Amino acid sequence: MDTDRAEESGRHDGSTSAPLVDRRRFLAGSAALIAQGSATLVFGAAPADVTEGDPMRTPGSPARRYGDRSPFEAPVRLSGGSHSLTPLEHLHGIVTPSSLHFERHHNGVPAIDPLRHRLLIHGLVDRPLIFTIHELQRFPSVSRHAFIECAGNSRSGWQGAQDLTLQELHGLTSTSEWTGVKLSTLLEATGVRPEAAWMLAEGSDAAGLTRSVPLTGDVLSEAVVCYGQNGEALRPEQGYPLRLLLPGLEGNINVKWLRRLKLGTAPFMTRWETSKYTDLMPDGSAYQFSLVMEAKSVITNPCGRQQIHPGFHEIRGLAWSGRGRVRKVEVSLDAGGTWQEAQLQEPVISKCHTRFRFPWRWNGQEVILQSRCVDDTGYRQPSREALVKVRGVHSNYHYNGIQSWKIDRDGLVRNVDA
Amino acid sequence: MAWCETSMPKRWLLGVVLLLMASCVVPGRSNHEQAGALGLGRPATADDIRAWNIDANPSGEGLPVGQGTAAGGAAVYASKCARCHGPTGVEGPMDRLVGGRDTLASTSPVKTVGSYWPYATTLYDYIYRAMPFDAPQSLTVDEVYAVTAWLLHENGITEADTVIDARTLPQIPMPNRHGFVPDPRPDVPGP
């Protein structure tokens, strides 16, 4: 099982499978040559061997109406029924393919006919309005890249390091380009009243999920009522046909299958912002409306349960902050003893996954790799030790401690506390 | 204006014409005016809003007419809830609902309705909209009040005969009502 997983996780396993095939073929060919003692057979057989699978010798497949990835590509989400995790270790760049965007839902993914779907905006507004999807799409539109991260991402970190893959540990975060109409545009159309300070957002799933959104300056300037994701309509598991996007805030409040916005003066105290998504502290109190996802970074290559070989490796990773841009990412090759600055891939986008890179040559000795980031508010990603010292081990949500990957002399990468 | 000086029958006829205009033509224009400068969306009527406005909040706003007691709620709980939450709300397998008082600061905190939930109105709101898990919104208003009363009583918060309704529910003193603090982050020093 472990071996399977290491192999599956494998584009960074220093794979030698392709050269091996060639060598086997070569050896087979040599054996035939010796056995038969006949050059003609070799020359006669060789074209068949060479052309087998040669894309230059066979016409390719015709154009398709809706594309799929290559059948040679296998990364998938790990599904747990009510959630699925993004295989971050197999992604390039910063955008998560829509098919691999993590999922979290609280009573399944509803099947919604967009022609029947409506958005109602009411409460403290001068003009309660009902919109069809078509009408929402006629409003002036905006697009932006943003990560969405479940508040429970990386939660096992509170209990201490478990020997798991990156996907299993941190796969509840993804980035998409989102398109829709700004919330402020809709609030303007309905004539939101000045005393409105909170907004209930309600989904039309079987959980009827509701969250109270504080109408802060950030929310009013950045929130988007979305119908588009990565150039096409939202995926059903991402809220088709309509979701709220609150860049930088915990996933749960980015309400999917959005059907209603109700303006009020106070939070509505739904189950999801009282019983859940609140952070229990050691003294028995709990943080409430702890909505921002604080800065976090993880090395995605190499990472948990991979097998690496001595030689050159580009250390790669992702960093993000719910408060703004990632200003700096540093990498440590000695368990946090010393730090070196990683290169950030431009463009660095506010409240969006940011790719970092650091060239490295592994000499085969035991090593612990870490990354840490700073965002443009000056916030610095803390160590697990610092987090636990303040919040204890029962707060369950919003874990963003520094991730440590230990590489043993045999090349196996493991999640450790360091 | 001229139409004010016309005779009664004519004024009556004009009234009919205006009424027809109001029902046929004006709504389009009214849409445009009410939906703001872009003229998108249609005004939501009181009936539209009533059909969807299912939330209830701590002030009691949104709680409908109806009532229930723990005695009545026991049967509802046994038939609709116990399968997932256990016979007494303790056993699971899904969220534990009963007990756990005074454990939040311990090394094994148990978060339940009684130990953790700050507002009783959240019970009504959540159960009505989302429970039972396999048949959400299938309980009647009285059933929701009754099972809410049962949960409050099992947690030692109310008496067996306490009537839970739109008036009493917002006044239930939840044990952890003051257990929450606004987000103080950033709270952890960086390296």
Side-chain angles (χ1 to χ4, degrees):
Chain A
M1 183 62 198
D2 288 352
T3 314
D4 287 351
R5 197 185 272 169
E7 282 176 5
E8 275 172 21
S9 66
R11 72 185 162 88
H12 304 305
D13 62 1
S15 168
T16 53
S17 60
L20 264 179
V21 168
D22 291 342
R23 218 166 109 226
R24 281 193 199 112
R25 274 189 191 157
F26 173 75
L27 289 173
S30 303
L33 177 64
I34 292 159
Q36 300 294 328
S38 162
T40 50
L41 180 65
V42 173
F43 287 125
D49 285 345
V50 168
T51 58
E52 184 189 331
D54 181 352
M56 297 181 78
R57 305 290 185 105
T58 313
S61 57
R64 289 180 294 177
R65 290 160 67 91
Y66 196 84
D68 280 319
R69 63 183 171 181
S70 160
F72 296 101
E73 293 297 313
V76 290
R77 295 187 287 215
L78 275 177
S79 175
S82 66
H83 74 277
S84 68
L85 300 128
T86 295
L88 294 172
E89 53 268 66
H90 295 297
L91 302 186
H92 309 294
I94 57 172
V95 172
T96 310
S98 298
S99 298
L100 296 176
H101 193 295
F102 86 87
E103 299 168 78
R104 180 75 176 100
H105 23 82
H106 297 281
N107 200 351
V109 177
I112 297 177
D113 176 350
L115 294 178
R116 294 181 58 188
H117 194 75
R118 299 288 183 273
L119 174 67
L120 166 65
I121 304 181
H122 72 119
L124 291 176
V125 297
D126 292 334
R127 298 174 292 275
L129 292 175
I130 293 178
F131 300 99
T132 63
I133 299 298
H134 177 66
E135 285 167 331
L136 292 169
Q137 290 180 344
R138 286 179 59 198
F139 272 96
S141 60
V142 290
S143 292
R144 68 163 291 165
H145 288 78
F147 78 84
I148 295 181
E149 181 182 19
C150 178
N153 195 28
S154 324
R155 78 202 302 168
S156 67
W158 291 115
Q159 304 310 318
Q162 296 179 37
D163 187 12
L164 299 170
T165 65
L166 173 67
Q167 181 175 17
E168 290 163 331
L169 291 165
H170 303 293
L172 292 173
T173 185
S174 303
T175 281
S176 290
E177 183 198 50
W178 306 98
T179 298
V181 50
K182 287 185 74 170
L183 173 68
S184 58
T185 303
L186 297 177
L187 294 184
E188 199 176 308
T190 49
V192 63
R193 294 189 190 150
E195 64 268 32
W198 290 81
M199 177 181 77
L200 185 75
E202 181 177 74
S204 56
D205 57 330
L209 191 133
T210 41
R211 286 297 303 262
S212 303
V213 180
L215 296 179
T216 62
D218 270 3
V219 166
L220 289 172
S221 64
E222 295 196 70
V224 183
V225 173
C226 296
Y227 43 78
Q229 178 189 6
N230 295 333
E232 60 184 354
L234 290 173
R235 290 297 172 90
E237 64 270 33
Q238 292 307 322
Y240 182 85
L242 208 62
R243 86 172 301 167
L244 188 58
L245 175 73
L246 295 163
L249 304 192
E250 64 187 11
N252 183 264
I253 201 168
N254 292 261
V255 175
K256 298 182 282 190
W257 314 293
L258 186 68
R259 74 161 195 166
R260 186 163 72 101
L261 297 172
K262 179 181 184 179
L263 285 300
T265 57
F268 295 75
M269 300 299 179
T270 74
R271 185 231 193 194
W272 302 103
E273 58 214 20
T274 54
S275 167
K276 306 290 180 184
Y277 297 96
T278 45
D279 312 88
L280 184 62
M281 295 295 115
D283 68 356
S285 70
Y287 297 174
Q288 194 180 23
F289 298 110
S290 42
L291 303 176
V292 171
M293 298 308 294
E294 297 190 292
K296 188 190 287 190
S297 69
V298 290
I299 292 172
T300 61
N301 174 52
C303 66
R305 305 212 56 83
Q306 289 181 346
Q307 177 86 43
I308 70 165
H309 297 273
F312 177 77
H313 295 268
E314 182 174 68
I315 292 175
R316 298 173 185 147
L318 291 169
W320 60 96
S321 169
R323 291 201 180 93
R325 279 183 183 75
V326 171
R327 180 194 289 168
K328 183 166 76 169
V329 177
E330 293 172 304
V331 168
S332 173
L333 309 174
D334 57 3
T338 58
W339 296 87
Q340 300 174 72
E341 193 161 344
Q343 180 198 1
L344 302 186
Q345 173 67 57
E346 295 287 342
V348 176
I349 300 170
S350 177
K351 304 178 184 181
C352 182
H353 281 171
T354 298
R355 178 65 66 177
F356 65 88
R357 303 190 176 93
F358 185 86
W360 174 56
R361 187 171 290 277
W362 185 44
N363 61 9
Q365 298 303 304
E366 189 177 288
V367 64
I368 292 180
L369 307 182
Q370 298 178 332
S371 67
R372 68 184 188 189
C373 65
V374 182
D375 69 20
D376 62 5
T377 69
Y379 174 87
R380 304 167 73 84
Q381 182 184 6
S383 65
R384 174 177 185 275
E385 188 183 11
L387 266 178
V388 168
K389 192 174 173 189
V390 174
R391 299 191 202 158
V393 297
H394 296 296
S395 64
N396 203 23
Y397 303 104
H398 306 110
Y399 181 89
N400 67 330
I402 290 171
Q403 167 70 51
S404 303
W405 300 123
K406 182 179 183 189
I407 303 170
D408 291 322
R409 293 168 69 96
D410 62 4
L412 189 63
V413 187
R414 284 186 299 120
N415 176 28
V416 296
D417 288 324
Chain B
M1 287 199 234
W3 66 268
C4 294
E5 294 154 13
T6 52
S7 61
M8 272 305 280
K10 275 185 182 169
R11 283 176 70 177
W12 179 85
L13 194 63
L14 192 64
V16 170
V17 169
L18 283 173
L19 200 66
L20 281 170
M21 281 175 66
S23 62
C24 304
V25 182
V26 176
R29 229 173 80 202
S30 147
N31 265 357
H32 182 80
E33 286 160 1
Q34 291 210 13
L38 301 180
L40 297 169
R42 73 168 172 83
T45 66
D47 282 346
D48 291 331
I49 294 170
R50 198 175 302 118
W52 281 15
N53 191 21
I54 60 171
D55 63 278
N57 68 42
S59 74
E61 187 191 333
L63 289 171
V65 174
Q67 65 172 49
T69 61
V76 179
Y77 182 87
S79 67
K80 307 284 178 123
C81 319
R83 188 158 46 96
C84 293
H85 295 286
T88 67
V90 172
E91 302 85 350
M94 301 313 289
D95 283 25
R96 181 172 166 175
L97 304 173
V98 173
R101 289 279 283 278
D102 303 320
T103 64
L104 296 182
S106 75
T107 54
S108 303
V110 178
K111 296 193 281 187
T112 72
V113 169
S115 71
Y116 198 63
W117 290 40
Y119 298 97
T121 52
T122 308
L123 279 169
Y124 185 93
D125 177 83
Y126 183 70
I127 295 168
Y128 178 78
R129 69 173 57 246
M131 290 289 121
F133 196 72
D134 59 355
Q137 298 192 24
S138 64
L139 299 180
T140 65
V141 167
D142 285 348
E143 284 176 322
V144 177
Y145 276 125
V147 81
T148 296
W150 185 85
L151 285 167
L152 292 169
H153 176 59
E154 288 297 300
N155 275 292
I157 298 167
T158 55
E159 303 299 325
D161 58 356
T162 303
V163 175
I164 295 298
D165 59 20
R167 187 183 60 80
T168 59
L169 188 60
Q171 297 169 23
I172 303 295
M174 297 297 277
N176 198 39
R177 168 66 185 83
H178 301 293
F180 294 83
V181 297
D183 182 13
R185 300 172 310 156
D187 57 337
V188 177

